Amino acid sequence: MLLVGITGGIGSGKSTVCKIFEVLSVPIYYADDRAKYLMHHDLNLVLALKDTFGTDIYKDGQLDRVLLASRVFADKEQLAKLNALVHPAVAQDTLAWQMAHSSVPYTLREAALLFETGSYQSLHKVIVVTAPLEVRIARVMGRDNVTEEQVRDRIANQWSEEQKVALADYIIANDGEAALIPQVLNIHNQLLQTTKAEG
């Protein structure tokens, strides 16, 4: 089974592209969603987060994401501590998920910080979804009801699109002009050919 990653900067439209792959019956591991789940349900992780960032980040068993974000996103050292706790838990969860899907030709792992965390190194191929910066900013402002400055701050915490594209095996342009479905189908067929060749 091929392990394929899919990533792109915030607002690039990864989720839209993933929905097309899902229609093609490709199993997708949504790393960011699973991280949120584990931060509520993985007891060891919950205890480690409380120990590191204070017990008040959980209220009635629910993680106060706004409070946690206020403590880590302006402080690179604290953000590194958070990542050092969450990413190993997600990596372990990913392995269990991959074992459960070992009969398919390939799986997709969707993650915003695939390159930044180094997790791309455990994958066979990586797809990068791209979109012009102004398009991405407009999408996120509309989706999350945030200011342009807040979106630019988030973008600053990610690798540049150029850095990601340099390491990509496949690129999908999601600029609102190029049709997505033919691009996805092309990559899907290439991945199926690769698995047949290696099988």
Side-chain angles (χ1 to χ4, degrees):
M1 180 181 70
L2 275 185
L3 306 178
V4 183
I6 183 163
T7 192
I10 186 169
S12 60
K14 295 183 302 296
S15 302
T16 305
V17 172
C18 284
K19 285 188 178 82
I20 302 170
F21 277 104
E22 282 183 335
V23 171
L24 298 169
S25 301
V26 178
I28 302 178
Y29 181 91
Y30 290 96
D32 301 340
D33 291 344
R34 286 299 295 173
K36 288 174 193 166
Y37 175 86
L38 294 169
M39 288 164 88
H40 281 101
H41 297 92
D42 181 324
L43 187 59
N44 290 332
L45 179 58
V46 170
L47 291 173
L49 290 169
K50 284 181 178 178
D51 192 44
T52 307
F53 301 105
T55 54
D56 60 333
I57 61 168
Y58 285 88
K59 292 183 176 67
D60 301 320
Q62 291 297 305
L63 177 64
D64 185 337
R65 297 182 62 78
V66 176
L67 181 62
L68 179 61
S70 72
R71 290 184 185 168
V72 303
F73 283 117
D75 185 333
K76 283 206 156 55
E77 199 175 304
Q78 292 297 94
L79 183 59
K81 282 183 188 174
L82 176 64
N83 289 337
L85 294 173
V86 175
H87 292 145
V90 172
Q92 209 170 357
D93 188 60
T94 307
L95 279 176
W97 180 87
Q98 284 167 349
M99 294 291 284
H101 293 87
S102 58
S103 61
V104 298
Y106 74 93
T107 58
L108 278 182
R109 177 183 175 162
E110 188 270 345
L113 303 179
L114 200 66
F115 291 119
E116 292 86 339
T117 61
S119 58
Y120 75 97
Q121 292 168 331
S122 64
L123 302 165
H124 301 113
K125 302 282 184 187
V126 176
I127 302 164
V128 171
V129 182
T130 66
L133 183 61
E134 297 310 317
V135 172
R136 291 167 54 201
I137 290 169
R139 281 176 184 161
V140 179
M141 285 172 67
R143 182 188 74 194
D144 296 351
N145 199 20
V146 289
T147 65
E148 180 175 338
E149 187 184 359
Q150 287 172 306
V151 181
R152 288 186 181 276
D153 283 347
R154 290 191 205 172
I155 288 171
N157 279 324
Q158 299 184 346
W159 279 22
S160 71
E161 200 162 80
E162 292 73 25
Q163 287 173 292
K164 291 176 180 176
V165 164
L167 289 174
D169 296 287
Y170 305 101
I171 296 159
I172 292 177
N174 188 17
D175 53 10
E177 293 176 22
L180 283 178
I181 292 172
Q183 295 182 76
V184 171
L185 282 172
N186 182 35
I187 292 170
H188 177 65
N189 289 329
Q190 286 185 57
L191 289 168
L192 292 179
Q193 289 302 320
T194 302
T195 58
K196 281 178 188 163
E198 292 185 0

